[in-house]
Amino acid sequence: QVQLVESGGGSVQAGGSLRLSCVAYGNTYSSVCMGWFRQAPGKEREAVAATNRDTGNIRYGDSVEGRFTISQDNAKNTLYLQMNSLKPEDTAVYYCAARPCGLNSVFMFPNDYDTWGQGTQVTVSS
């Protein structure tokens, strides 16, 4: 059983930066894909960024590409999301997700994932 714990959320002004962390505990998958998603009030959960931990393949959502960076420290079982040039529309609860995966796979849809963290709130004020 894998458990994901996010941290690093908070409140910042537009143009600021935050770094989110997601630590995976328990029996992690031997081959794992992970992703960051977000959900704003009244909106569907959307992909922010996703990665294949073994191959390093990465994909970003259109609205964050060039501003956000996903990275990982496999030795610490930790996934990061560096968020720069934050905008008010980035305000949402951010979730970390994980699933087993094959070569070159990177998953960008919430239904693709079977393990989720509890979420961390990010609020960006104008």
Side-chain angles (χ1 to χ4, degrees):
Q1 182 88 19
V2 177
Q3 288 185 311
L4 304 175
V5 179
E6 302 102 331
S7 62
S11 297
V12 295
Q13 290 192 326
S17 298
L18 283 173
R19 188 176 82 155
L20 305 183
S21 299
C22 170
V23 181
Y25 296 96
N27 296 323
T28 56
Y29 305 120
S30 59
S31 177
V32 63
C33 285
M34 299 189 74
W36 287 100
F37 291 78
R38 67 186 182 186
Q39 189 165 19
K43 294 188 177 181
E44 293 185 353
R45 192 167 296 190
E46 66 171 348
V48 174
T51 183
N52 182 311
R53 194 178 71 172
D54 295 329
T55 65
N57 290 350
I58 290 173
R59 290 181 62 185
Y60 291 98
D62 291 341
S63 61
V64 307
E65 189 151 19
R67 299 188 298 123
F68 291 10
T69 302
I70 189 172
S71 63
Q72 57 200 24
D73 184 334
N74 291 345
K76 296 181 179 179
N77 281 333
T78 301
L79 184 74
Y80 301 100
L81 184 69
Q82 178 67 43
M83 304 185 294
N84 298 328
S85 302
L86 283 161
K87 304 176 182 180
E89 51 264 43
D90 295 319
T91 295
V93 178
Y94 283 70
Y95 298 91
C96 173
R99 60 157 289 157
C101 66
L103 288 175
N104 298 320
S105 300
V106 180
F107 296 94
M108 294 289 282
F109 294 97
N111 287 344
D112 291 330
Y113 290 84
D114 57 11
T115 301
W116 291 85
Q118 81 286 354
T120 185
Q121 177 71 45
V122 172
T123 302
V124 184
S125 58
S126 59

